[in-house]
């Protein structure tokens, strides 16, 4: 019977029948594969940890920069800057308006000087006395006399290209005012007479 054989002989017979070398080789290959897998996993883990640390440093840096940007550009500072810009804008607008007013005043003054120059041209090089004598000799020309009366009142009348008096420069030396009036035929002489008297 099988149990009557010696145990050592029986075990050796079983070992010979099992063919262990191929199994050992397979186990060795499995162990080698497991070792390679462990090494690959450890390498990937190390790379992932390194990338995570780098991302963490970048995140902290961005958070710091963001906080600094918020502190340097707070709503209060922004509002103050807007108010300052508005103030500068209003100052510039006021300066431009003042310059425009001054330009109009200088233009009116220039028109007045042109009127005086025209009056001097009418008087001639001999002066006002000889001009008056000449006007008397020529029969006291009505238009020249009217212009002289206007000038004595501080009003210089300028003719246009057609010879019609279309503009008047009214000066009030007491108040330092100069007004340039465009004479429109649709208004009556009575209207302009009242306006001139109120201005001078």
């Amino acid at each position: 019977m099988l149990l009557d054989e010696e145990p050592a002989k029986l075990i050796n017979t079983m070992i010979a029948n099992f063919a262990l070398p191929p199994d050992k080789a397979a186990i060795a290959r499995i162990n080698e594969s497991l070792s390679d897998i462990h090494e690959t996993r450890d390498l990937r883990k190390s790379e992932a940890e390194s990338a995570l640390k780098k991302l963490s440093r970048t995140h902290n840096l961005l958070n710091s920069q963001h906080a600094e940007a918020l502190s340097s550009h707070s709503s209060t500072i922004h509002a103050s800057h807007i108010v300052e810009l508005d103030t500068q804008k209003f100052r510039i607008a006021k300066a431009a308006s003042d310059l425009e007013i001054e330009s109009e005043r200088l233009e009116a003054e220039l028109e007045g000087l042109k009127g005086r120059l025209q009056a001097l041209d009418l008087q001639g090089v001999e002066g006002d006395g000889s001009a008056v004598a000449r006007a008397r000799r020529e029969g006291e020309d009505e238009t020249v006399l009217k212009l002289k009366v206007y000038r004595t009142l501080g009003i210089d009348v300028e003719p246009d290209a057609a010879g019609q008096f279309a503009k008047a420069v009214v000066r009030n030396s007491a108040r330092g005012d100069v007004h340039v009036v465009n004479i429109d035929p649709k208004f009556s002489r009575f209207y302009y007479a009242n306006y001139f008297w109120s201005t001078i």
Side-chain angles (χ1 to χ4, degrees), residues 38-58:
H38 285 304
E39 290 179 359
T40 302
R41 186 190 64 180
D42 292 340
L43 179 61
R44 291 182 178 178
K45 181 181 177 182
S46 177
E47 292 176 351
E49 289 177 349
S50 178
L52 180 61
K53 290 179 181 179
K54 183 177 180 180
L55 289 175
S56 178
R57 289 193 299 269
T58 304

Side-chain angles (χ1 to χ4, degrees), residues 116-132 134 148 151:
R116 291 187 180 182
L117 178 60
Q118 182 181 4
L120 292 175
D121 290 339
L122 292 175
Q123 292 174 7
V125 295
E126 297 88 351
D128 185 61
S130 59
V132 173
R134 186 165 58 253
K148 289 182 178 296
R151 281 195 293 273

Side-chain angles (χ1 to χ4, degrees), residues 123-198:
Q123 292 174 7
V125 295
E126 297 88 351
D128 185 61
S130 59
V132 173
R134 186 165 58 253
R136 289 175 180 174
R137 289 194 302 268
E138 294 173 356
E140 300 293 331
D141 182 79
E142 181 180 359
T143 303
V144 175
L145 289 177
K146 286 182 178 180
L147 290 175
K148 289 182 178 296
V149 172
Y150 291 154
R151 281 195 293 273
T152 59
L153 296 175
I155 303 173
D156 289 326
V157 185
E158 298 180 8
D160 57 12
Q164 300 295 327
F165 296 102
K167 181 184 291 186
V169 180
V170 184
R171 291 183 294 276
N172 188 325
S173 58
R175 292 183 297 188
D177 293 338
V178 177
H179 299 274
V180 179
V181 182
N182 292 318
I183 299 176
D184 193 335
K186 69 180 181 180
F187 295 105
S188 66
R189 294 183 178 181
F190 179 76
Y191 168 81
Y192 283 109
N194 285 336
Y195 179 80
F196 291 156
W197 278 115
S198 66

